[in-house]
Amino acid sequence: IMAVVKANAYGLGALGVAKVVEKKVDMFGVVGIKDALLLRKGGIRKPIVNLGIYSDEDADKLVKDNISPTIFIYTAFQDFEKAAQKLRTPSSIWIKIDTGLARLGVPYQEASKFIRFVVRSKIVKIAGILSSFTEDKKFDRVQLERFLSIKNECRDLAIPVWSIASSDAVFLFPESYLDTVRLGISLFGFYPSRTAREKKKISLLPAVSFKTRVACVKELEKGESVFYRRKFIAKGKTRVAVLLLGYSYGIDAEFVNGGEVLIRGCKYPLVGGISMTNCFADIGNNKKIKAGDEAVIFGKQGSREIKLEQVCAVLKQSEYEFLSRIPEKVERLYL
């Protein structure tokens, strides 16, 4: 298993997540030298693969910290090889093959030739070869056939790992597992697609929750209002919990249109609007709620739960979008 913690582990904190799962996975995938070095300096010892673009500016750091770049261009490989020779340090790379996604990778028609070019190196070894699916059910099978054809052409070479399956394929395309699967968002208990959720090949339990606290509680009489331009006007006597959460914490302003929070085990609707640092929940006549109480955006509280997919349905976003937009200033706690 390669644990893919790209984009700061989908917004959840690359190093914190890596420390939690390191004993359960075989290697880590990142996108960018910054996250790779963060893991190394944070004590992660397992193999790290930079799945992003190789930059010659990063060559020395990659070699010194034993981080494998993903390479698919001749000049890029030659540059990395020179860095390894200069530092007299045996190093490894992964090769990315474009089997049809048309994003990154050596074209599959030229892949065998490129692999054999790299194999000749005396100081740089191939740790693995990967490709990515388009996640189109029919075309994925075409891509797998192309990938396996290249694997067969290179059967005389000592290449330890072939990988094409990411989270979605783990649920929907078991024939593609090969040597290593690359798990991303499913590591956190979230399905990579609606189809994967409906298939339920594997039952996931969310491992992440998003919480804030009640800043204070306001009592409103009929006709009194909350937020700028009086966005919410009380139709009768009610209480409003002011929450320490706003759009600068990753909550889109649209969340007020149907969004709910859990406080003391009950769901309450958001009202008024969402400012940079605050939002508001109509808690009705509940007089037990007070400043400092926990408010759950998604996750469990007692026997009740708000699912991330419900939040995303209100916002018309994917789980990927929502999580990756939570800013770093939001504290991450790892239990």
Side-chain angles (χ1 to χ4, degrees), residues 88-134:
R88 298 180 181 179
T89 303
S91 302
S92 65
I93 69 165
W94 279 60
I95 292 175
K96 179 73 176 278
I97 299 174
D98 179 9
T99 53
L101 184 60
R103 187 170 62 179
L104 303 176
V106 57
Y108 70 94
Q109 301 95 329
E110 305 168 18
S112 295
K113 180 181 178 182
F114 183 77
I115 291 167
R116 291 186 180 279
F117 175 81
V118 172
V119 162
R120 294 181 298 181
S121 176
K122 295 180 180 180
I123 197 166
V124 177
K125 303 300 180 185
I126 300 174
I129 295 179
L130 77 155
S131 187
S132 296
F133 286 127
T134 63

Side-chain angles (χ1 to χ4, degrees), residues 8-253:
N8 196 30
Y10 298 83
L12 299 173
L15 180 58
V17 167
K19 286 182 175 180
V20 171
V21 305
E22 184 175 18
K23 292 181 180 180
K24 300 181 183 297
V25 302
D26 301 288
M27 64 193 83
F28 290 93
V30 301
V31 173
I33 187 71
K34 181 180 177 182
D35 278 356
L37 293 176
L38 177 70
L39 297 191
R40 276 286 181 257
K41 292 176 181 177
I44 300 300
R45 299 272 70 89
K46 286 195 173 174
I48 298 174
V49 184
N50 179 18
L51 301 170
I53 293 290
Y54 167 76
S55 171
D56 57 0
E57 297 174 358
D58 299 329
D60 287 2
K61 295 177 183 177
L62 290 165
V63 171
K64 289 177 181 177
D65 284 284
N66 191 24
I67 297 163
S68 300
T70 299
I71 289 178
F72 46 87
I73 298 172
Y74 285 94
T75 54
F77 170 72
Q78 291 167 331
D79 176 82
F80 184 75
E81 184 180 41
K82 287 179 183 177
Q85 290 169 340
K86 180 183 70 174
L87 296 170
R88 298 180 181 179
T89 303
S91 302
S92 65
I93 69 165
W94 279 60
I95 292 175
K96 179 73 176 278
I97 299 174
D98 179 9
T99 53
L101 184 60
R103 187 170 62 179
L104 303 176
V106 57
Y108 70 94
Q109 301 95 329
E110 305 168 18
S112 295
K113 180 181 178 182
F114 183 77
I115 291 167
R116 291 186 180 279
F117 175 81
V118 172
V119 162
R120 294 181 298 181
S121 176
K122 295 180 180 180
I123 197 166
V124 177
K125 303 300 180 185
I126 300 174
I129 295 179
L130 77 155
S131 187
S132 296
F133 286 127
T134 63
E135 297 182 5
D136 175 275
K137 188 175 180 180
K138 290 184 178 179
F139 191 62
D140 283 355
R141 294 193 174 276
V142 174
Q143 288 185 268
L144 180 59
E145 288 175 7
R146 291 171 177 174
F147 196 63
L148 292 177
S149 176
I150 297 164
K151 184 174 185 290
N152 185 55
E153 290 173 14
C154 298
R155 62 186 179 277
D156 59 313
L157 306 177
I159 297 170
V161 175
W162 292 78
S163 174
I164 194 171
S166 56
S167 288
D168 205 58
V170 168
F171 291 89
L172 305 175
F173 199 6
E175 303 97 304
S176 69
Y177 287 3
L178 305 185
D179 303 309
T180 296
V181 295
R182 309 193 301 272
L183 296 181
I185 201 166
S186 57
L187 282 171
F188 313 114
F190 303 122
Y191 292 95
S193 66
R194 180 179 295 178
T195 307
R197 184 186 298 117
E198 293 170 350
K199 189 83 171 178
K200 288 192 175 177
K201 179 179 177 62
I202 302 168
S203 181
L204 297 180
L205 294 175
V208 182
S209 58
F210 191 9
K211 304 176 181 180
T212 185
R213 294 198 179 276
V214 175
C216 62
V217 176
K218 298 290 184 179
E219 295 204 9
L220 300 182
E221 299 292 338
K222 181 180 179 180
E224 291 186 322
S225 62
V226 164
F227 204 61
Y228 299 111
R229 292 173 288 281
R230 306 190 74 206
K231 285 283 185 72
F232 172 74
I233 299 175
K235 295 180 180 179
K237 189 172 182 178
T238 192
R239 306 177 89 231
V240 171
V242 182
L243 307 180
L244 296 167
L245 189 76
Y247 56 76
S248 68
Y249 292 83
I251 298 296
D252 192 281

